[in-house]
């Protein structure tokens, strides 16, 4: 780590490092589309049967509403801390700190798992099944992947973005090749014995009943999560007040098309029985189906999942590291987290902290129990719903003076984000109730009389509160901030960018 030279201005994030297309690719890759589909298509089908495409469609609704909140909040305050910064301004420092903590912890929870999937499916794609099943080999390679992706994040934002462009094109092409071949074989009557021709009725999310839809939507939150990584790069994006938010919205739209298309193909080709029977084995879902549908070309789908997880390993580090950077700027975290590499102009310290925490979590949690890693991923839905809902509420509160300016403002700045937040809070409550029963956890495991995923989420929440109290006792400057509202209404299209106006420094970033 290269320190700033005494007496020289502090380094800032590199402005205009990436463009809209780069941000869009990063937003898409952060969701890890191929891996997300492999992980959830079986469980969703087990819940709702052929209506899985409809659940993907219904899950899109709260996501695009929250994406609208990110878009308008970013116009008012292009800050790489996103939820942390915006919630602090609208709802106060305590809510903002907890929102920032939730974002950071999602990165810690999932980065190791994503790298592990990238390694496993990468080895399968090149025919090394033996090594893919070797725990030690996978762990060593997983840690190596985390380190390499973290180094790339530190080294060059532009190079990282170019890699994301290649990876998103590769995995999307592979997915659509698989979907196209699978559907062709269904209509040619050469599919699996349980194949069924798709119907437009599959788009009805209520076809399997309300309780089944609730469970499916909980999984849907996970498959769409991650698109906001594009907004975390706002200070490094050209047209920072507009492009990142638009990239976030378009990411959800592209994901909708991808998820619905592939869900139709997978359900039609495999049938609901096979998918439900292998609901907990993403390798069986995509690897076996790819082998059956594509024959010797099954490596295409395996490569799609591997590149998907690899890309998401990198992009998931972005929101966690830049949120920590933003928190340090405003003295919500120690100032060391706010150090920016003067040459590469990236948040080097916070990036390596996230990488180190994610590596330790991955190595420790794998040794707790066979299902602990999966349980930590299940706990993600609680953290995701929490900080997305906070953002939706913050949008309406921060812009409350603008909600009567017109129909667009009322719908897209107020009612839409609040509706999205309400849906996510409802899902959060349903998820807590479900996870409280150990019978609903993987293997029926029980920790302290509760399901392991809920214990993990509550433990992280308690750790966050304790760290917040400790930080407040050590330095209470951040907690002196008071909630505020957006400035008087202006034309959004002419909104200035924070990067163009002045570089953010630890001294100036907290001023409103």
């Amino acid at each position: 780590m290269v320190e700033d030279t005494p007496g020289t201005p502090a380094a800032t994030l590199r402005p205009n490092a990436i463009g809209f297309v780069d941000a869009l690719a990063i937003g898409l890759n952060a969701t890890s589309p191929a891996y997300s589909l492999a992980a959830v298509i079986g469980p969703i089908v087990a819940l709702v049967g052929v209506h899985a495409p409809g659940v993907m469609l219904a899950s899109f609704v709260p996501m695009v509403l929250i994406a609208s909140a990110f878009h308008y909040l970013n116009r008012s305050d292009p800050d790489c801390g996103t939820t942390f910064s915006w919630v602090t301004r609208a709802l106060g420092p305590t809510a903002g700190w907890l929102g920032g903590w939730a974002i950071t912890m999602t990165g810690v929870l999932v980065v190791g798992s994503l790298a592990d999937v990238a390694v496993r499916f990468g080895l399968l794609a090149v025919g090394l099944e033996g090594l893919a099943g070797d725990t030690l080999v996978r762990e060593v390679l997983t840690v190596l992947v985390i380190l390499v992706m973290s180094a790339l994040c530190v080294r060059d934002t532009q190079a990282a973005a170019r890699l994301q462009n290649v990876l998103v094109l590769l995995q999307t092409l592979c997915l659509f090749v698989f979907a196209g071949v699978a559907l062709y074989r269904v209509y040619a009557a050469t599919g699996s014995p349980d194949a069924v021709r798709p119907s437009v009725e599959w788009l009805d999310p209520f076809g399997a009943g309300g309780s089944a839809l609730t469970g499916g939507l909980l999984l849907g939150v996970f498959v769409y999560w991650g698109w906001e990584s594009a907004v975390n790069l706002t200070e490094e994006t050209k047209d920072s007040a507009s492009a990142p938010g638009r990239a976030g919205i378009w990411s959800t739209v592209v994901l909708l098309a991808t998820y619905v298309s592939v869900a139709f193909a997978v359900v039609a080709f495999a049938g609901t029985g096979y998918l439900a029977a292998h609901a907990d084995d993403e390798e069986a879902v995509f690897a076996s189906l790819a082998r059956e549908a594509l024959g010797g070309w099954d490596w295409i789908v395996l490569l799609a999942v591997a590149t998907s997880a690899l890309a998401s390993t990198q992009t998931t580090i972005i929101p966690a590291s830049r949120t920590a950077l933003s928190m340090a700027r405003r003295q919500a975290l120690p100032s060391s987290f706010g150090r920016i590499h003067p040459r590469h102009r990236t948040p080097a310290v916070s990036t390596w902290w996230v990488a180190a925490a994610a590596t330790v979590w991955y190595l420790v949690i794998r040794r707790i129990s066979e299902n602990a890693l999966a349980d930590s991923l299940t706990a993600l839905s609680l953290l995701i719903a929490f900080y997305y809902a906070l953002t939706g509420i913050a949008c309406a509160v921060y812009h409350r003076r603008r909600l009567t300016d017109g129909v667009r403002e009322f719908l897209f700045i107020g009612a839409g984000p609040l509706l999205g937040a309400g849906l996510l809070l409802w899902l959060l409550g349903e998820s807590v109730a479900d996870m409280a029963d150990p019978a609903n956890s993987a293997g029926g495991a029980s920790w302290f009389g509760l399901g392991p995923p809920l214990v993990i989420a509550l433990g992280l929440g308690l750790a966050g509160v304790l760290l917040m109290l400790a930080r407040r006792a050590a330095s209470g400057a951040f907690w002196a901030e008071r909630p505020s509202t957006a400035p008087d209404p202006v034309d959004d299209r002419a909104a200035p960018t924070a990067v163009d106006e002045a570089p953010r420094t630890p001294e100036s970033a907290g001023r409103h």
Side-chain angles (χ1 to χ4, degrees):
M1 171 67 189
V2 179
E3 301 277 354
D4 293 336
T5 303
T8 62
T12 59
L13 295 174
R14 188 184 301 279
N16 303 321
I18 63 173
F20 170 79
V21 173
D22 301 316
L24 176 62
I26 289 170
L28 290 171
N29 274 330
T31 65
S32 190
Y35 166 63
S36 296
L37 278 168
V40 306
I41 191 65
I44 289 179
V45 169
L47 287 167
V48 302
V50 295
H51 297 283
V55 168
M56 296 292 187
L57 178 61
S59 300
F60 165 77
V61 175
M63 289 298 99
V64 75
L65 293 175
I66 297 302
S68 177
F70 271 77
H71 175 60
Y72 283 100
L73 283 166
N74 184 71
R75 279 182 177 274
S76 298
D77 178 21
D79 189 300
C80 68
T82 60
T83 292
F84 159 74
S85 178
W86 305 330
V87 173
T88 297
R89 294 179 191 273
L91 305 178
T94 297
W97 202 98
L98 293 175
W101 172 257
I103 293 176
T104 304
M105 287 302 100
T106 56
V108 170
L109 286 177
V110 79
V111 164
S113 177
L114 289 168
D116 181 88
V117 170
V119 168
R120 178 156 54 98
F121 276 82
L123 292 172
L124 290 173
V126 296
L128 299 176
E129 290 85 356
L131 292 179
D134 188 310
T135 301
L136 179 59
V137 170
R138 275 175 48 189
E139 288 184 351
V140 171
L141 291 178
T142 294
V143 172
L144 181 61
V145 166
I146 295 174
L147 294 176
V148 170
M149 291 295 101
S150 300
L152 185 56
C153 285
V154 170
R155 181 67 178 82
D156 190 345
T157 301
Q158 291 175 316
R162 287 193 292 270
L163 175 62
Q164 292 298 317
N165 290 339
V166 173
L167 293 178
V168 75
L169 286 174
L170 185 60
Q171 68 171 299
T172 303
L173 177 63
C174 291
L175 282 176
F176 278 109
V177 167
F178 170 62
V181 173
L183 286 174
Y184 169 79
R185 293 194 59 181
V186 168
Y187 282 101
T190 59
S192 70
D194 297 322
V196 56
R197 289 200 173 194
S199 167
V200 70
E201 294 179 358
W202 293 6
L203 288 173
D204 177 14
F206 301 100
S211 60
L213 173 61
T214 300
L217 288 174
L218 291 173
L219 295 169
V221 169
F222 172 75
V223 298
Y224 281 98
W225 166 67
W227 49 264
E228 76 275 13
S229 292
V231 191
N232 286 100
L233 287 167
T234 182
E235 296 179 32
E236 298 154 88
T237 306
K238 298 173 185 175
D239 186 17
S240 62
S242 176
R246 287 189 291 112
I249 292 175
W250 275 106
S251 293
T252 63
V253 174
V254 175
L255 289 169
L256 171 66
T258 304
Y259 288 157
V260 170
S261 300
V262 178
F264 262 109
V266 171
V267 174
F269 184 84
T272 58
Y274 176 85
L275 294 173
H278 297 85
D280 297 325
D281 187 355
E282 68 266 16
E283 185 176 321
V285 171
F286 264 26
S288 299
L289 287 182
R291 193 172 298 113
E292 185 175 353
L294 302 176
W297 293 86
D298 61 317
W299 59 269
I300 290 177
V301 175
L302 299 175
L303 182 63
V305 177
T307 55
S308 175
L310 182 65
S312 191
T313 301
Q314 182 188 44
T315 53
T316 304
I317 295 171
I318 290 172
S321 62
R322 280 153 178 79
T323 296
L325 166 67
S326 182
M327 294 176 75
R329 284 171 168 172
R330 295 167 76 155
Q331 303 179 55
L333 285 178
S335 60
S336 59
F337 286 89
R339 292 177 185 168
I340 296 175
H341 198 291
R343 180 157 53 92
H344 303 315
R345 299 177 73 177
T346 55
V349 172
S350 58
T351 297
W352 286 118
W353 266 105
V354 170
T359 299
V360 171
W361 179 268
Y362 166 75
L363 293 175
V364 170
I365 203 71
R366 280 181 63 89
R367 285 159 175 77
I368 293 178
S369 75
E370 183 178 351
N371 297 311
L373 190 60
D375 290 332
S376 69
L377 294 182
T378 303
L380 272 177
S381 62
L382 299 179
L383 300 179
I384 296 166
F386 172 70
Y387 80 78
Y388 274 173
L390 271 183
T391 309
I393 295 169
C395 182
V397 172
Y398 187 64
H399 292 105
R400 56 187 179 273
R401 293 177 179 172
R402 300 189 55 190
L403 301 186
T404 57
D405 288 352
V407 174
R408 186 189 70 168
E409 286 77 5
F410 177 77
L411 291 178
F412 296 113
I413 302 179
L418 284 177
L419 176 60
L423 290 171
L424 289 169
L425 289 175
W426 169 65
L427 288 173
L428 178 62
E430 292 291 330
S431 183
V432 169
D434 180 71
M435 294 180 189
D437 185 354
N440 295 325
S441 64
S446 174
W447 293 359
F448 308 106
L450 300 171
L454 182 58
V455 174
I456 292 172
L458 292 176
L460 290 174
L462 178 60
V465 171
L466 293 176
L467 285 173
M468 180 183 69
L469 294 176
R471 179 58 187 169
R472 184 168 185 172
S475 174
F478 168 68
W479 281 269
E481 294 190 25
R482 293 292 179 265
S484 60
T485 59
D488 290 335
V490 295
D491 184 356
D492 282 337
R493 291 168 296 181
T497 71
V499 172
D500 292 337
E501 288 178 334
R504 292 177 179 266
T505 65
E507 293 77 23
S508 66
R511 298 174 187 166
H512 307 309

